[in-house]
Amino acid sequence: LYRMNFQALLEEHGKRNADVTVAVIPRSEDQASEFGLMKLADDGRIVQFREKPKGDLLREMRCDTERFGLSKAQAAERPYLASMGIYVFKRAALEELLRDPAMIDFGHQVIPRAIESHAVYGFPFDGYWEDLGTAGAFYRANIDLTSSKPHFDFHDMKAPIYTHARFLPPTRMERCEVRDSIVAEGALLKDAEIASSIVGIRAVVAGNVTVDQTLLMGADYYEDEEEHALNRRQGIPDIGVGPGSVLRHAIVDKNARIGANVRILNEAGVQHHDGEGYYIRDGVVMIPKNGVIPDGTVI
């Protein structure tokens, strides 16, 4: 998740007459081992690359990031240059590098070989950029959107981002308290306390429910009274969140059925667990798409 002016990247690529340009971003040591790391010469040319190094191999990739515009304190905190996975190639260079059929992965194979044989330069970037490849990162990036000054602003009028047109009715709230949250269209919320959360399309939240620091993705469709009656006969909750439930620090995927008086809290602080109808990753409780959590369940 990021916003970048690619024109500046292209201009730098052309000015250097580079065969390849790789966008790079300063990272801290606790984050750096998850990325391809590189060192740059004074002219910006990449002279060394290591994919996801650990231990001493990681620490050997430290460099002075102050010369890329960071303050001394920021450079001390983020002394590694990580690949953002954004590349610009000269067409001829790309064709030459991919002529070998063994070259199937850019991070592990193509970029390291290019550094050995071509003019490869780094393009430093120091804006907001979040790799959403883990549950924890995905959760943090979403919940950050609910703050008064999010790192990534969907409402930036210079570069706004819109959802697909769905022509849904507006959200209806009855006796609700909503703080620092994002609520999508078509939701039905009743007697709910919602804080620092995202409520997705067609989400149904019943009475006396607390939703805190939670990503509630909503639903792909509404259920009618006939379907509710069928749910009761089958002994499963309706789509949405049932009355008396409390959800905190969780991700609930679409069409999930959370029963009445369910408590999703992870009070034990478990970091990784596979439960019945749920998963915990990076301390975040996740209810999968179409998941069912019976009445009275405590997680």
Side-chain angles (χ1 to χ4, degrees):
L1 181 64
Y2 69 101
R3 184 182 273 114
M4 177 189 281
N5 181 357
F6 289 121
Q7 189 62 44
L9 173 60
L10 288 168
E11 288 174 358
E12 194 72 14
H13 178 75
K15 185 166 55 178
R16 288 169 164 167
N17 193 29
D19 292 316
V20 187
T21 300
V22 181
V24 298
I25 189 168
R27 276 308 201 221
S28 60
E29 184 159 318
D30 62 326
Q31 300 170 321
S33 62
E34 299 303 316
F35 301 98
L37 302 181
M38 53 202 67
K39 286 185 176 181
L40 273 58
D42 291 340
D43 64 353
R45 187 160 179 165
I46 298 174
V47 294
Q48 189 176 4
F49 179 92
R50 284 181 182 169
E51 180 71 13
K52 299 181 180 179
K54 301 287 192 293
D56 290 341
L57 292 176
L58 168 65
R59 285 180 282 276
E60 288 174 6
M61 296 301 293
R62 292 174 66 96
C63 58
D64 179 15
T65 53
E66 189 176 354
R67 65 189 177 99
F68 303 115
L70 276 67
S71 68
K72 186 177 287 292
Q74 290 172 330
E77 183 182 348
R78 294 183 286 158
Y80 297 92
L81 284 179
S83 169
M84 297 172 66
I86 302 168
Y87 317 115
V88 180
F89 284 84
K90 276 186 180 177
R91 182 187 181 97
L94 181 60
E95 289 176 342
E96 182 181 340
L97 288 162
L98 296 184
R99 200 164 287 133
D100 181 352
M103 293 289 103
I104 59 174
D105 186 281
F106 275 84
H108 285 87
Q109 297 170 313
V110 177
I111 299 302
R113 178 172 292 186
I115 291 169
E116 295 174 358
S117 57
H118 291 72
V120 184
Y121 289 82
F123 178 80
F125 174 79
D126 194 31
Y128 176 75
W129 179 81
E130 185 64 67
D131 185 337
L132 306 183
T134 67
F138 177 77
Y139 172 83
R140 289 190 299 272
N142 274 278
I143 297 303
D144 178 71
L145 297 175
T146 68
S147 66
S148 58
K149 291 185 178 180
H151 289 96
F152 187 93
D153 186 6
F154 278 89
H155 301 87
D156 183 346
M157 289 302 100
K158 294 179 181 177
I161 293 178
Y162 301 99
T163 63
H164 291 291
R166 296 184 179 88
F167 307 109
L168 289 169
T171 285
R172 189 173 73 220
M173 303 183 193
E174 301 178 21
R175 300 181 300 279
C176 292
E177 181 180 339
V178 181
R179 302 187 307 275
D180 304 327
S181 297
I182 295 173
V183 180
E185 65 269 36
L188 299 169
L189 313 178
K190 184 177 181 180
D191 291 320
E193 182 179 340
I194 299 169
S196 302
S197 296
I198 295 179
V199 179
I201 59 172
R202 305 185 192 90
V204 178
V205 177
N208 192 29
V209 168
T210 298
V211 179
D212 181 29
Q213 299 179 74
T214 289
L215 173 53
L216 192 63
M217 292 188 180
D220 292 314
Y221 54 91
Y222 294 112
E223 290 183 320
D224 57 23
E225 289 303 319
E226 185 177 331
E227 288 167 313
H228 289 167
L230 177 61
N231 294 338
R232 286 192 289 274
R233 290 196 296 272
Q234 293 178 334
I236 62 174
D238 297 334
I239 285 180
V241 182
S245 293
V246 179
L247 282 65
R248 184 170 292 122
H249 200 65
I251 297 173
V252 180
D253 207 340
K254 279 188 172 181
N255 310 328
R257 301 170 184 271
I258 310 295
N261 301 309
V262 169
R263 298 178 66 81
I264 300 177
L265 303 172
N266 191 16
E267 291 179 308
V270 176
Q271 291 299 299
H272 188 102
H273 178 69
D274 290 356
E276 188 171 345
Y278 71 93
Y279 304 89
I280 300 177
R281 297 291 185 273
D282 301 324
V284 181
V285 179
M286 301 188 297
I287 311 301
K289 189 171 185 178
N290 304 312
V292 178
I293 304 297
D295 294 353
T297 299
V298 177
I299 300 174

